[in-house]
Amino acid sequence: TATAGQLISAVHNVIHTSQLQKQLNNLAHYDSLTGLLNRNLLYNRLAHAVGRCNRYGHSCAVLVIDLNNFKPVNDMHGHNAGDMLLVEVADRLKRCVRETDTIARFGGDEFVVLVSELDTGKAHSMAQAGTVAEKIRATLAKPYFLRLKQEANAETTVEHHCTSSIGVVLFLANDTTKEDMLKWADIAMYQAKETGRNRIHFHEL
């Protein structure tokens, strides 16, 4: 029979293995900086949303969000400041959407929001998606106050202004794929940039 010490050791090993599996799962599916979903889990959520749209006749929207004036933060204050700004952007995005919606960091200073289960009618769905996009645009355009560590643990607060360009594509139950939605929303985002930035542009299906 196992001794008490062996049983305790076995329990510790199980706990350690479980913790390791959880850490590996987080690395595989979540962005390490912001805690948002990464590309892998976003693709899964998109596929699920597309399936539900086709099955139940809902519509959904994909928003691709790119930050304007992000690079100067890194150039002037270092990458820690840039990381702080990205974390703040993630927090603001969470306050702009419902718990049933999905937010992902797609890489660098680009984010994706999946707004699910919108109205079945195109006009109402576009209005709902537009309301969410405008809330995000206005929220991200507010000033950022970054508390940076200096020498001897002194802190200084840097004010930075950073807007966003947002591309939106609406999914209405048809043969559209998740790859199409991301591609079209990305194209719409670049059109928002080209027409002046701090704007929202809808991709017309």
Side-chain angles (χ1 to χ4, degrees):
T1 60
T3 65
Q6 289 172 326
L7 288 173
I8 292 172
S9 178
V11 169
H12 285 167
N13 287 337
V14 169
I15 293 173
H16 177 74
T17 301
S18 176
Q19 291 173 339
L20 183 60
Q21 289 174 338
K22 185 177 181 180
Q23 290 171 355
L24 291 173
N25 180 67
N26 285 340
L27 288 172
H29 296 111
Y30 294 91
D31 175 56
S32 59
L33 176 64
T34 63
L36 299 177
L37 278 63
N38 63 16
R39 287 174 181 250
N40 293 333
L41 195 50
L42 173 66
Y43 289 141
N44 290 340
R45 295 283 179 89
L46 265 174
H48 181 71
V50 166
R52 289 186 61 84
C53 286
N54 282 320
R55 190 175 303 116
Y56 300 111
H58 298 302
S59 60
C60 62
V62 170
L63 287 63
V64 170
I65 303 156
D66 191 77
L67 301 181
N68 307 311
N69 199 37
F70 173 73
K71 188 174 181 295
V73 176
N74 286 332
D75 292 344
M76 292 187 293
H77 306 293
H79 289 286
N80 285 340
D83 288 348
M84 290 178 67
L85 178 58
L86 292 172
V87 170
E88 175 63 22
V89 167
D91 288 341
R92 293 187 185 189
L93 286 174
K94 292 173 187 175
R95 297 196 292 269
C96 290
V97 301
R98 304 164 300 176
E99 289 185 5
T100 53
D101 298 326
T102 297
I103 313 169
R105 183 183 175 204
F106 211 57
D109 60 344
E110 188 170 277
F111 298 82
V112 174
V113 173
L114 168 63
V115 185
S116 57
E117 298 188 10
L118 297 173
D119 195 277
T120 54
K122 183 177 180 180
H124 287 162
S125 295
M126 287 188 69
Q128 289 173 323
T131 298
V132 175
E134 173 56 27
K135 185 176 182 180
I136 290 173
R137 186 206 63 77
T139 300
L140 296 187
K142 294 176 181 178
Y144 295 83
F145 297 95
L146 310 175
R147 298 177 64 181
L148 306 179
K149 289 282 188 181
Q150 301 295 311
E151 293 182 4
N153 290 322
E155 281 190 350
T156 184
T157 299
V158 172
E159 180 178 348
H160 184 74
H161 293 265
C162 184
T163 62
S164 62
S165 297
I166 304 175
V168 186
V169 63
L170 195 68
F171 177 93
L172 299 169
N174 52 37
D175 293 330
T176 303
T177 66
K178 63 181 186 296
E179 290 82 8
D180 289 335
M181 293 186 72
L182 285 170
K183 178 181 71 175
W184 293 335
D186 196 56
I187 291 171
M189 180 272 292
Y190 278 106
Q191 290 171 329
K193 279 187 176 292
E194 290 169 2
T195 54
R197 304 189 174 198
N198 196 24
R199 293 173 182 265
I200 299 163
H201 189 90
F202 273 81
H203 176 80
E204 290 294 334
L205 293 176

